[in-house]
Amino acid sequence: MKRIRRAIHAFDPKLRDVRPDGRLRRAALFGLICAIAFSAAGCATISPRNVLPQASASQIDLEGFHNIRFWGDAPVRDIEATVMLDAPRTAARSSRDLNFLAISGGAEDGAFGAGLLVGWSDAGTRPAFDLVTGVSSGALIAPFAFLGREHDGQLREIFTKYGRKDIFAYNVHGLIEGSALADDAPLARLIEKYVDDAFIQEIARERIKGRILLIGTTNLDTQRPVLWDMGRIAMSNNRDAIALFRKILLASATLPGVFAPVRIQVQVGGKNYDELHVDGGVTRQVFIAPSLFSLGSGNRRAVTTRRLYVIRNGKIDPEWQSVSENVLSITQRSIATLIKNQGIGDLYRIYSIARRDGIDFNLASIPSDFSDVSAEPFDQRYMNALFDRGYDLASRNYSWVKAPPGLELAARLHN
């Protein structure tokens, strides 16, 4: 116990000295966790779980549910078998455009995407989306974006009214046990407040129409992304549907190490097992499965244009920062750089698929000139400023970028 206290005391001043760049100090916390893990080695006890055997790891259906999830890296035919069953209903409608929305993670930077969507609504140009995907903080935005501008008030509230204490509490007990640095019970209560029975019923009604909402998590045991069809969960008659819906949103926003993983129960051969799910951003910062672009392709005469909008809740331009030559600063900067470039790689992947399939690609990200910094994780003042910036951009006819960084000129020539 004394060793843990000494480790926290030694690193805490450095945490205060780190100038955050608008993110939940993922790397700083990661460095702290590493230090504590070494200090506390041998005394941590994590509650046991019944691990799904490797031979059954491909198990995809949950007891009492059917076709509600699939592997994010699965073959196209498997994804289509799960998600595209209702696509003909969408395609059968009168001639119109199809619109797709993919929302990235970004912790408190999700306030940008929330503000952008609300401003877009007030500009009167935001379309209804046939498909919405989200991970991490994007997972918390996605259901509200999916249901439309009628839920903009809730979206604004979630990303401007609440601060760090409404998201997590520092978890000394969990730290001693070796399970997590922070307790996400406040976030779970926040999700429960907004995701009620009426909300779930709305999601179900839209899924019946053929519209799709997908949330991404990461299965730690398999190291694979899992995509959850939230509309099918909402449509099910299972009494546990609302609890599972909330649990998936929580899991997608669960930063590993900082928060304890979310356990998802599966049943194989009459026995119950636990899967561990964490932040979808661990495997995909933003996603859209290639086969999902075929939404509506069963009746191409009914579709005039297909547009994809990608909201990257973060800056994609390089950001200069003086890095101190110590373990914490180097770890923080390296992890932040890794996350940024993973996100850019995801944008390249999505762009190449969109261009191949003739999809109009549109990208939004936090402007490089946004200079506010957060005083703490989920700093309410910072989130309000970022929300307002996103709102102002979108309400004034936002100019979407037509390609990922480095490909803008090629995109202009192509168009």
Side-chain angles (χ1 to χ4, degrees):
M1 183 67 181
K2 290 181 179 178
R3 293 162 69 188
I4 295 174
R5 287 176 178 166
R6 283 198 297 269
I8 295 173
H9 183 267
F11 278 90
D12 184 61
K14 294 184 176 64
L15 279 173
R16 288 197 295 268
D17 289 343
V18 172
R19 291 183 58 83
D21 54 0
R23 298 164 183 82
L24 172 61
R25 305 175 198 183
R26 296 187 176 198
L29 290 173
F30 178 83
L32 175 60
I33 293 165
C34 290
I36 293 170
F38 282 115
S39 296
C43 66
T45 57
I46 301 174
S47 55
R49 67 185 181 100
N50 196 11
V51 183
L52 187 66
Q54 184 177 359
S56 303
S58 60
Q59 165 74 19
I60 203 66
D61 270 344
L62 271 64
E63 185 70 17
F65 296 93
H66 184 59
N67 278 347
I68 65 165
R69 65 177 187 169
F70 56 94
W71 297 111
D73 54 3
V76 170
R77 63 180 182 276
D78 292 346
I79 296 176
E80 289 180 340
T82 304
V83 179
M84 307 305 293
L85 297 178
D86 292 328
R89 301 184 192 180
T90 303
R93 285 183 274 179
S94 59
S95 177
R96 63 179 192 84
D97 295 346
L98 288 174
N99 296 289
F100 313 101
L101 174 66
I103 313 171
S104 84
E108 63 261 46
D109 282 355
F112 171 77
L116 190 82
L117 286 163
V118 175
W120 196 1
S121 290
D122 289 352
T125 55
R126 176 176 147 190
F129 300 107
D130 300 275
L131 166 71
V132 178
T133 72
V135 294
S136 195
S137 59
L140 303 180
I141 298 172
F144 300 93
F146 178 75
L147 291 179
R149 60 190 65 182
E150 294 80 7
H151 288 267
D152 281 355
Q154 293 173 304
L155 192 55
R156 177 191 291 271
E157 192 171 278
I158 290 170
F159 283 90
T160 61
K161 181 179 178 181
Y162 305 105
R164 195 272 300 167
K165 293 181 180 179
D166 303 296
I167 306 299
F168 70 90
Y170 291 110
N171 183 15
V172 176
H173 179 73
L175 179 60
I176 294 171
E177 289 185 340
S179 57
L181 176 65
D183 180 4
D184 59 1
L187 177 58
R189 289 192 293 268
L190 202 60
I191 291 172
E192 185 175 349
K193 174 182 177 180
Y194 288 95
V195 180
D196 56 16
D197 288 327
F199 190 88
I200 292 291
Q201 289 168 15
E202 283 190 72
I203 297 286
R205 285 194 292 270
E206 295 307 311
R207 185 63 175 93
I208 290 170
K209 297 175 185 177
R211 298 179 61 227
I212 298 169
L213 169 64
L214 298 178
I215 298 299
T217 64
T218 297
N219 183 316
L220 281 181
D221 292 315
T222 62
Q223 293 187 320
R224 298 179 70 183
V226 180
L227 307 186
W228 301 80
D229 189 331
M230 306 300 279
R232 286 195 177 280
I233 295 173
M235 286 168 57
S236 75
N237 295 321
N238 193 307
R239 63 182 182 181
D240 296 326
I242 189 169
L244 180 61
F245 195 104
R246 293 167 174 167
K247 185 177 285 190
I248 292 163
L249 294 182
L250 181 64
S252 187
T254 294
L255 184 63
V258 178
F259 301 133
V262 172
R263 296 189 183 193
I264 305 290
Q265 281 201 337
V266 296
Q267 191 174 85
V268 178
K271 294 182 179 180
N272 291 322
Y273 298 95
D274 294 319
E275 295 177 345
L276 287 188
H277 288 256
V278 296
D279 194 331
V282 172
T283 45
R284 298 284 190 275
Q285 286 289 311
V286 61
F287 75 89
I288 188 156
S291 63
L292 298 179
F293 281 142
S294 63
L295 184 67
S297 61
N299 183 4
R300 289 190 178 274
R301 293 181 181 179
V303 180
T304 55
T305 304
R306 289 179 294 170
R307 295 187 178 91
L308 168 65
Y309 298 93
V310 180
I311 299 176
R312 178 68 182 107
N313 289 309
K315 295 179 180 179
I316 58 178
D317 298 311
E319 300 168 84
W320 186 89
Q321 177 181 314
S322 176
V323 180
S324 299
E325 198 171 355
N326 60 62
V327 171
L328 185 64
S329 295
I330 293 170
T331 301
Q332 179 195 27
R333 186 63 167 172
S334 297
I335 297 297
T337 302
L338 177 65
I339 291 170
K340 171 176 282 192
N341 284 279
Q342 178 194 352
I344 292 173
D346 290 335
L347 294 178
Y348 274 94
R349 183 186 303 111
I350 293 171
Y351 174 74
S352 66
I353 297 167
R355 183 168 176 177
R356 181 198 67 191
D357 292 350
I359 311 295
D360 180 35
F361 179 91
N362 301 272
L363 171 65
S365 62
I366 297 176
S368 59
D369 64 355
F370 182 79
S371 58
D372 283 35
V373 295
S374 56
E376 65 172 354
F378 297 101
D379 177 2
Q380 193 173 354
R381 181 205 57 79
Y382 170 83
M383 292 172 68
N384 272 271
L386 191 52
F387 182 97
D388 290 344
R389 184 62 185 276
Y391 180 92
D392 289 343
L393 288 171
S395 63
R396 299 176 184 178
N397 194 25
Y398 181 67
S399 180
W400 294 81
V401 177
K402 305 305 291 184
L407 293 180
E408 296 93 336
L409 177 60
R412 287 196 294 269
L413 294 175
H414 176 73
N415 293 330

